Amino acid sequence: MASPEKIICVFLLSGLLGFAQNIPKVDQGRLEASIMSLAEYGVMENGETNRVAFSDADLAGRAYIISLMQVTGLEVSVDFAGNITGKRAGKDPSKKPIGFGSHIDMVPNGGNYDGCVGSLAAIEVVRTLNVAGIQTEHPLEVFIFSNEEGGVMGSRALVGDLKGDALNVVNSTGYSMREGINRIGGDADRIAEVERPQGSLAAFLELHIEQGGILDREQIDIGVVEGIVGIKWWDVSIQGFANHAGTTPMALRKDALLAAAKFIIAVNEVTNSFEGKQVGTVGRIAALPGAPNVIPGQVVVSLEIRDLSSEKIVNLFSAMAKRAKDIENETGTQFTFTPIDATSAPALTDPRIQALITKEAKALGLSSKQMQSGAGHDAQDMAKIVPVGMIFVPSVNGISHSPKEYTFPEDMANGANVLLRTLLTIDKKWD
Ligand code: HGY
Ligand code: MN
Ligand code: MN
């Protein structure tokens, strides 16, 4: 006769096994097809895709994703910051929703996987739950954040960080955030009403491509993100003196482009001189008046610094500003640094969710690796109000923000299955 303890143990084990066996898997073909459909929005003559936030292509892509969410039975709405959300009722409406999602806007001539994998996998997870007839205890909420590439705008609004000057930042479409928000169906005058309170979700999960080459190089299936770097942007204006390129002796020039060239090298040297994984980039340059026979009088470059530590970003910046002072003296030019309010603070993910992601990957027979994110993400804003977790899947050759960006369908499905299982475990075990 089995002891009472043994009976309880068998009962519990069968329950757990039952739970484990009942977890459905996403439909890889359906997920891949939705990625390819979304990629159609913004295709240009040369076959590349350009779906920058606020563009006509962004409007069309947003309409596609809204229709997909509606067909999937989600109750869809667009908030005043242009974030698209889709709600699915849980058995217990008193429980806090579990949020998950990403973004679908792109950098100019970007790739079709950055943000799109997490967004479409979120919808695929809901479809999979529908097909399996699973209703979670917690309500679910899918988030498609607006204008992530322009400084995680939508998620900043959601955590109450999108204020003042930020709305005047102009992206490559020529629209300011204010104009763009109104263009995509938001209301820039009512941004404050978008803010969600602390703890208003049980958790937020984001599946995303790694955008770097670690998982691909080391042939690892899943990245368990420990932290997301902080990002700071500046416009650096260098004032020289435009003059005749033929009659002005070299020693008498105030050449703004020469000063800019020295500054770009200085950014690289300062960044490499610190210990750690920080990065410093000059990604944009404009030289005026831009004629071959005129010494450039004015140059504006962008400056971006990223690191997991805000303090290190400050130290890197002051070292670069010091080098700029030296360059001013050498070239007779004047540097002005203007911070661009489209940045994000470093964020750590919740260790409990990291452990869940690792466990669910293992349960699926997938390898995983703890890592930091060198890319910024909406999850780093959401971390200010709720516990977050991030799941990475490999980017082939570590390429991203490029038409050559690619992630294999199997890897997308792996990430979506880990997302689904992590969500269901949180649903079962968390309040
Ligand atoms: O720039 C980034 O890190 C992100 O892809 N928005
Ligand atoms: Mn992204
Ligand atoms: Mn990106």
Side-chain angles (χ1 to χ4, degrees):
M1 170 74 167
S3 68
E5 291 75 17
K6 198 164 181 191
I7 292 169
I8 290 169
C9 189
V10 167
F11 174 74
L12 280 178
L13 194 62
S14 62
L16 270 179
L17 282 177
F19 168 63
Q21 276 149 1
N22 285 346
I23 301 181
K25 289 218 172 144
V26 300
D27 182 321
Q28 178 180 311
R30 199 168 50 193
L31 174 55
E32 187 190 8
S34 60
I35 290 272
M36 291 300 112
S37 302
L38 179 59
E40 288 304 309
Y41 296 94
V43 173
M44 302 180 297
E45 301 265 302
N46 64 4
E48 295 177 1
T49 308
N50 207 351
R51 194 171 58 246
V52 177
F54 313 145
S55 63
D56 290 342
D58 184 34
L59 293 178
R62 289 168 58 89
Y64 166 72
I65 209 95
I66 286 172
S67 66
L68 204 56
M69 291 166 80
Q70 288 168 332
V71 161
T72 309
L74 290 165
E75 185 200 325
V76 181
S77 55
V78 178
D79 71 17
F80 293 127
N83 295 308
I84 303 165
T85 61
K87 291 190 171 81
R88 185 180 197 258
K91 287 177 191 154
D92 182 349
S94 71
K95 285 183 180 282
K96 294 176 181 177
I98 299 171
F100 51 115
S102 192
H103 66 96
I104 61 166
D105 64 293
M106 299 163 71
V107 293
N109 295 13
N112 293 315
Y113 298 83
D114 174 358
C116 305
V117 168
S119 300
L120 291 162
I123 297 169
E124 175 54 31
V125 160
V126 175
R127 277 191 299 220
T128 305
L129 291 172
N130 293 345
V131 168
I134 295 174
Q135 187 181 13
T136 50
E137 294 298 324
H138 292 72
L140 302 182
E141 190 163 8
V142 173
F143 289 85
I144 309 294
F145 295 105
S146 55
N147 188 20
E148 188 274 348
E149 296 294 359
V152 284
M153 181 193 84
S155 49
R156 280 181 72 195
L158 212 88
V159 301
D161 267 0
L162 191 70
K163 296 185 175 101
D165 284 353
L167 290 173
N168 303 323
V169 173
V170 177
N171 77 0
S172 63
T173 61
Y175 291 111
S176 68
M177 278 196 194
R178 174 178 300 283
E179 294 158 338
I181 282 171
N182 295 335
R183 191 159 203 266
I184 59 175
D187 180 343
D189 294 331
R190 300 182 66 177
I191 288 288
E193 298 173 47
V194 169
E195 187 175 353
R196 302 280 183 106
Q198 278 291 333
S200 47
L201 296 174
F204 175 76
L205 303 172
E206 183 168 7
L207 167 62
H208 203 285
I209 58 171
E210 180 199 341
Q211 297 185 284
I214 297 171
L215 297 177
D216 185 46
R217 226 182 359 262
E218 299 179 17
Q219 291 293 296
I220 292 172
D221 301 312
I222 297 291
V224 184
V225 178
E226 296 165 306
I228 305 160
V229 295
I231 304 177
K232 279 271 178 224
W233 285 351
W234 293 262
D235 265 341
V236 185
S237 173
I238 304 162
Q239 191 59 48
F241 187 81
N243 208 336
H244 197 296
T247 56
T248 313
M250 296 304 279
L252 298 182
R253 296 178 173 212
K254 294 185 176 180
D255 185 336
L257 197 45
L258 174 66
K262 289 173 180 278
F263 179 68
I264 293 167
I265 291 168
V267 167
N268 187 271
E269 288 174 348
V270 167
T271 306
N272 290 328
S273 68
F274 279 58
E275 282 300 311
K277 296 182 187 163
Q278 67 283 345
V279 289
T281 312
V282 173
R284 173 176 28 87
I285 186 166
L288 295 174
N293 56 355
V294 181
I295 301 164
Q298 201 208 4
V299 170
V300 179
V301 299
S302 63
L303 171 61
E304 181 192 86
I305 304 175
R306 302 185 184 210
D307 194 73
L308 262 184
S309 149
S310 293
E311 192 197 349
K312 196 201 278 188
I313 292 176
V314 170
N315 295 339
L316 280 158
F317 176 72
S318 36
M320 290 172 190
K322 198 173 156 310
R323 285 288 296 271
K325 272 277 162 261
D326 300 342
I327 296 166
E328 282 180 339
N329 298 333
E330 279 170 54
T331 58
T333 58
Q334 173 101 41
F335 278 69
T336 310
F337 292 88
T338 311
I340 299 177
D341 189 354
T343 59
S344 39
L348 299 178
T349 60
D350 188 296
R352 296 169 298 169
I353 303 180
Q354 289 176 36
L356 280 182
I357 294 169
T358 304
K359 179 172 136 312
E360 298 306 345
K362 194 167 175 209
L364 287 165
L366 300 173
S367 57
S368 65
K369 178 190 182 85
Q370 304 270 126
M371 58 199 302
Q372 80 170 38
S373 170
H377 299 288
D378 293 304
Q380 75 195 98
D381 284 324
M382 298 303 280
K384 290 176 186 153
I385 61 168
V386 296
V388 304
M390 268 209 93
I391 302 161
F392 273 173
V393 288
S395 294
V396 173
N397 297 324
I399 298 171
S400 181
H401 281 190
S402 150
K404 294 182 174 51
E405 184 179 273
Y406 184 68
T407 291
F408 289 108
E410 302 84 340
D411 287 328
M412 292 195 282
N414 286 341
N417 284 319
V418 172
L419 172 65
L420 171 58
R421 295 176 68 97
T422 304
L423 180 155
L424 288 175
T425 303
I426 289 174
D427 182 46
K428 278 211 170 341
K429 298 198 171 167
W430 289 27
D431 283 339

